[in-house]
Amino acid sequence: MALTLYDTMARKKRVFEPADPARVTFYACGPTVYNFAHIGNARAFVVFDLLYRMLRRCYGADHVVYARNITDIDDKIIKAARETGEPITAITEKYTKLFHDDMEALGALSPVMEPTATGHIAKMIAMIEALIGKGAAYEGDGHVLFAVDKYTDYGKLSGAQRDEMIAGARVEVAPYKKDPADFILWKPSSDDEPGWASPWGRGRPGWHLECSVMIESKLGRTIDIHGGGQDLRFPHHENEIAQSACAHDGAPLARYWVHNGFLRMGTDKMSKSLGNVVLAHDLLADWSGEAIRWALLSAHYRQPLEWTDDLLRQSKRQLDRFYRLLEEIEFSASEEAAPDSVVAALEDDLNTPEAFAALHALRDSAGQTEGEARTEAIRKMASAGRLMGFFSARPQDWFKGAAGDGPSVEEIDALLIERAEARAAKDFARSDQIRDDLAAQGIIIEDGSEGATWRRS
Ligand code: AMP
Ligand code: ZN
């Protein structure tokens, strides 16, 4: 078996072959830290966490270098500082910490490296100087711009036509630009904006440049895998590719490009600009991180994922069913080899719907056996779930933590069955009574297409 990944550049699935299996390099564009991550952002990082776990499984934990940056200089951060009156570093430190807390709660392993943009300013200036030296960048009015016509493969990743790209991205037309498609490598800072001394005056870097420089500095000229959300293909990743290739005598930036699809609310992409965001932080107040992670991985990562409350409820309910079996075996965090069915699904371009189907099949077969074989089957199921970042809680904590002083899962399930029977017999007085009694104990019943589910309020 071998890991295959859909490579956006090649527009097909390719068997993954790292340049050096002893040092597999993987970079994901990280968050801009000026407010809370929403669950669309979380989807990207949970997907890349799964990829990181698969790479560790294939090549060994010590042989995978996963870097996810922190964008801690950006106009949106400057704006947030102006609006709140807080210093920029207070904002970036606060939201970096909150981002880490959310990621940990969602079961995402810490990356090996987490470079910050502000930690790489000198190297950014050096890359700009190199690009100017090669004739791929020019200065205008305190700005330095990349000349896109100097990179003939510009647009190859996203495949969009130049004019389409310019119109779609509402690229700014400015007097200091020779071509509206040229993009900023460096721009001047006013006195009340953060800035660094440079050959072009006091200023700050452009966002795209930050990633090119952090990749070069931490991972090397050409990395194995570069990941990000689908929206980053253009202009962000096209620009990263162009800068890096021109600075490095044509060496490609990445050998595989992996992009996740959007998490949507209805038909719209979840985004800060549309204002339709659900924050991971808020959801984590009511739901376990594993339930959110389950919901985020329920669709294939390249497909859109429509976010609904029902999806989250179903995910929690599924996990309850697994944890009920896990209660039967001794808790052990030690890694056993995960069963082939789940591994094969994940190796096939992280096919999580298939992996979940295989996981359900493992649960069903475990539930149907007895004795030693049952214990063994539950262990296998556990190792498969752990490979995907689940089942990290002790089962008693999973149930107890959520249950508090309320009725047990078994009691609630039994009452739900009784309620369904009462409803079928049109005994609505009894079914309403069950609902009300449970509600009084903080148990909320929700009727959905697949029967009733419940959660603790
Ligand atoms: P940002 O902090 O906006 O740069 O986004 C961080 C990551 O989340 C990037 O990889 C984005 O492409 C990704 N992202 C943003 N919105 C969504 C969404 N609605 N669904 C999936 N990924 C998203
Ligand atoms: Zn980036």
Side-chain angles (χ1 to χ4, degrees), residues 27-30 69 71 207-212 214-215 226-228 232 236-237 240 253 257:
Y27 181 91
C29 297
N69 76 290
T71 297
W207 170 42
H208 315 302
L209 182 75
E210 297 175 4
C211 285
S212 282
M214 286 184 271
I215 290 170
H226 193 318
L232 299 188
H236 186 55
H237 289 164
E240 281 186 34
L253 176 57
W257 284 89

Side-chain angles (χ1 to χ4, degrees), residues 269-303:
K269 175 195 171 196
M270 180 175 286
S271 74
K272 286 164 199 160
S273 55
L274 288 176
N276 60 354
V277 298
V278 176
L279 304 180
H281 183 80
D282 288 343
L283 280 185
L284 285 163
D286 295 328
W287 297 89
S288 70
E290 287 196 8
I292 301 170
R293 182 180 176 97
W294 193 280
L296 289 173
L297 293 176
S298 62
H300 187 270
Y301 76 92
R302 283 191 284 121
Q303 297 299 320

Side-chain angles (χ1 to χ4, degrees), residues 141-178:
D141 203 11
H143 298 71
V144 184
L145 291 119
F146 184 90
V148 295
D149 67 349
K150 293 294 187 308
Y151 183 60
T152 45
D153 280 343
Y154 192 76
K156 208 174 148 199
L157 179 76
S158 54
Q161 293 303 310
R162 203 197 110 96
D163 292 342
E164 222 176 275
M165 292 189 288
I166 293 172
R170 289 192 218 97
V171 170
E172 198 191 350
V173 182
Y176 47 79
K177 284 188 180 183
K178 289 184 185 159

Side-chain angles (χ1 to χ4, degrees), residues 29-32 34 38-45 48 76 207 227-232 260-264 269-272:
C29 297
T32 305
Y34 67 103
H38 61 69
I39 46 167
N41 304 138
R43 183 186 193 195
F45 301 122
F48 296 130
K76 284 178 264 179
W207 170 42
Q230 198 179 284
D231 51 336
L232 299 188
N260 67 275
F262 292 138
L263 183 142
R264 295 181 182 161
K269 175 195 171 196
M270 180 175 286
S271 74
K272 286 164 199 160

Side-chain angles (χ1 to χ4, degrees), residues 9 65 115 178 203 211 226 286 328 331 369 392 394 401 405 417 439:
M9 186 68 93
V65 191
K178 289 184 185 159
C211 285
H226 193 318
D286 295 328
E328 295 181 24
F331 180 83
T369 44
S392 61
R394 286 176 184 278
D405 295 331
I417 291 168

Side-chain angles (χ1 to χ4, degrees), residues 73-92:
I73 174 74
D74 186 278
D75 287 358
K76 284 178 264 179
I77 304 176
I78 297 174
K79 186 162 169 264
R82 279 200 188 119
E83 283 167 6
T84 61
E86 279 180 88
I88 287 192
T89 49
I91 294 179
T92 56

